[in-house]
Amino acid sequence: MSTPAPVFTPAPARKKVTTLTFRQKKERGEPISMLTAYDYPTAMIMDQAGVDAILVGDSLAMVVLGYENTLPVSMDEMLHHARAVARGAKSALLVGDMPFMSYQVSVEEAVRNAGRFLKEAGMDAVKLEGGHERAEAVRVITSAGIPVMGHIGLTPQSVHQLGGFRAQGKTALAAKRLLEDALILEDAGCFSLVLESVPARLARLISQRVSIPTIGIGAGSACDGQVLVTHDLLGLFDRFTPKFVKQYANLHNEMAHAFGEYIADVQTHSFPAAEHTVEMPNEEWDLLLKEL
Ligand code: KIV
């Protein structure tokens, strides 16, 4: 048997986290924590643990649905998982990640799909990838009353254009463009900005130059908050682990061990034992035998 996990004490009941809370946290210099979730129990546990925001990320495609990259996941699949997360989380700010081709074709489609995350799935905000080329979509979506989180740097939906999952902003020119994109997205109305896989000193500079909170993933410690893909943090996604991930558990091993023990118990008739078994009163059993 593995060592039992320490007893979990939920954080005290707290107020709903909003985009205003995000802004206040940046003003006060309080770091923002965000994690991804795709289902009810995970969302419930991380919400009770006190996470500020939950992102129903399109990383769903890779870590839950087993695709090679994030491109294949559809709006309907994202909404299905977002609804489960909304049922589990009571306080965290909920952000629905707009999947590939749900906002790139036209701003009309972008605002319609963004609206579905709030109207049909209980999300509080949406996230979309890209810089200056997304400014118009951000303007139209936010003018419909839908908060938008931007996402620049390594934008996984552009994996083919970027030539792989690689760090961005490593030359002076690329770094200047990312800073410009951040300022444009802030001006377009984003309430927050994910910075993925960019040099730490560039992330620091961007975080100082914009007034909205930056949420880093592989962007160093000077961002206003941090996000990780939960399956990476828990050691559940074994295809690859990016350098910037800190693994807080190895659930892959824990699960493999538990499954192995179950299979052995079934094979040796150790499971189910008496305490897992339903019985009927003796007199009813005797009656049955007599009937037969
Ligand atoms: O889809 C996702 O999980 C994300 C995070 C990596 C920020 O976009």
Side-chain angles (χ1 to χ4, degrees), residues 36 38 55 57-59 97 127 129 151 194 196 217 227 229:
T36 65
Y38 320 96
L55 170 68
D58 65 351
S59 46
D97 207 3
K127 176 172 86 57
E129 296 182 6
H151 181 162
V194 168
E196 178 164 355
I217 173 163
V227 58
V229 170

Side-chain angles (χ1 to χ4, degrees), residues 40 44 74 79 89 104 112 131 133 162 174 202 210 226 268 288:
Y40 168 82
M44 186 183 63
S74 67
L79 292 172
Q104 290 91 340
R112 193 172 302 116
E133 72 281 10
L162 300 176
L202 173 61
V210 296
Q226 297 291 328
T268 57
L288 173 69

Side-chain angles (χ1 to χ4, degrees), residues 46-287:
M46 63 179 59
D47 190 61
Q48 288 179 353
V51 78
D52 292 312
I54 300 180
L55 170 68
V56 185
D58 65 351
S59 46
L60 165 73
M62 297 174 74
V63 301
V64 173
L65 303 180
Y67 290 115
E68 277 302 307
N69 54 47
T70 59
L71 306 192
V73 73
S74 67
M75 260 311 286
D76 286 338
E77 286 168 322
M78 289 301 300
L79 292 172
H80 174 77
H81 287 267
R83 279 191 283 267
V85 167
R87 285 189 285 267
K90 301 288 168 252
S91 303
L93 179 85
L94 303 180
V95 185
D97 207 3
M98 298 195 67
F100 184 55
M101 284 298 128
S102 68
Y103 56 95
Q104 290 91 340
V105 176
S106 68
V107 290
E108 288 77 16
E109 268 189 53
V111 72
R112 193 172 302 116
N113 284 321
R116 292 188 72 194
F117 273 105
L118 274 68
K119 207 173 157 82
E120 299 175 35
M123 296 290 101
D124 303 312
V126 298
K127 176 172 86 57
L128 52 79
E129 296 182 6
H132 59 281
E133 72 281 10
R134 297 289 156 243
E136 198 194 348
V138 172
R139 271 205 184 85
V140 175
I141 297 172
T142 52
S143 69
I146 302 168
V148 180
M149 180 179 273
H151 181 162
I152 58 172
L154 169 54
T155 45
Q157 290 177 15
S158 308
V159 59
H160 297 306
Q161 199 174 34
L162 300 176
F165 294 107
R166 29 183 351 126
Q168 300 296 307
K170 287 170 77 171
T171 63
L173 182 63
K176 184 164 172 277
R177 287 201 181 126
L178 279 179
L179 174 59
E180 283 163 2
D181 278 342
L183 292 165
I184 289 169
L185 288 170
E186 174 181 25
D187 183 62
C190 281
F191 75 95
S192 170
L193 201 52
V194 168
L195 304 179
E196 178 164 355
S197 270
V198 299
R201 50 184 148 177
L202 173 61
R204 177 189 296 274
L205 180 72
I206 294 175
S207 305
Q208 288 165 346
R209 294 284 175 95
V210 296
S211 63
I212 54 176
T214 57
I215 310 292
I217 173 163
S221 62
C223 294
D224 302 301
Q226 297 291 328
V227 58
L228 277 180
V229 170
T230 293
H231 285 56
D232 290 335
L233 172 156
L234 294 177
L236 257 180
F237 184 63
D238 65 344
R239 233 190 287 150
F240 62 86
T241 307
K243 170 179 154 35
F244 55 73
V245 168
K246 178 171 174 188
Q247 219 179 66
Y248 288 81
N250 191 332
L251 291 199
H252 181 282
N253 282 1
E254 289 275 324
M255 288 171 76
H257 182 68
F259 297 146
E261 289 213 329
Y262 165 75
I263 294 163
D265 278 359
V266 169
Q267 286 169 346
T268 57
H269 294 281
S270 316
F271 176 82
E275 67 268 29
H276 311 119
T277 308
V278 176
E279 260 312 345
M280 64 194 283
N282 286 342
E283 57 276 20
E284 293 297 328
W285 180 247
D286 293 341
L287 209 59

